[in-house]
Amino acid sequence: MGGVTSAAFSVLSLAPVIPVVVLDDAADAVPLARALVAGGLPAIEVTLRTPAALEAVRAIDGEVPDAVVGAGTVLSADQVDAARAAGSRFLVSPGWSPRLLGAMKDSGVPFLPGVSTASEVVTLLDEGLTELKFFPAETAGGTSHLRSLAAPLPRARFCPTGGITPATAPAYLALPNVGCVGGTWMLPPDALAAKDWPRIERLAREAARLRG
């Protein structure tokens, strides 16, 4: 088990960038997580898009103590339960429904429900939630949209994800209502295929330096 075990931490404050990981082979999970942590990115979102995802979460939780592993693309209450059983320390969804929101609240870990409109933000603020995922960031209005939300909705803080690159990430991170961004650029497919963990560690280190 890793070092963060309760809901008393902020996912948005762990690192400036959360790598969004899609794994087809759970055997890659531990060396990949070690490379990301060594590069300064301890929060790792493993998306539940492949059959290997839950085993990958379980392996990272059990073997990489400095990682804070979470499950992404969580779409149902059943996935919430499975992700928690595998060791997920946080949950991320691209959107939400009342049932999914209830399950994530009951999970006992931090979670980032996805929003893309002011009305969704207001609804979740009314539910007592202040940390949210902004998705899909680039096509939902990008930095200009988030900037427009800051004044009327100052309590809301975001992890924008979707289409963000090393070139655009600093503009997001400079916004007062953005705690971190999610991205995949430090996980190029050719590096994953070649199991080039040193390259991924180098890209993670560059990503970790994007804020300040």
Side-chain angles (χ1 to χ4, degrees), residues 117-122 125 148-158 177:
T117 68
S119 293
E120 290 175 305
V121 177
V122 170
L125 287 173
S148 72
L149 295 177
L153 302 169
R155 289 189 298 130
R157 297 179 70 234
F158 300 94
N177 56 350

Side-chain angles (χ1 to χ4, degrees), residues 189-200:
D190 59 335
L192 286 171
K195 305 185 190 302
D196 190 348
W197 314 127
R199 180 183 172 196
I200 289 173

Side-chain angles (χ1 to χ4, degrees), residues 65-80:
D66 292 328
V68 182
V69 64
T73 321
V74 176
L75 302 176
S76 68
D78 288 344
Q79 286 186 325
V80 170

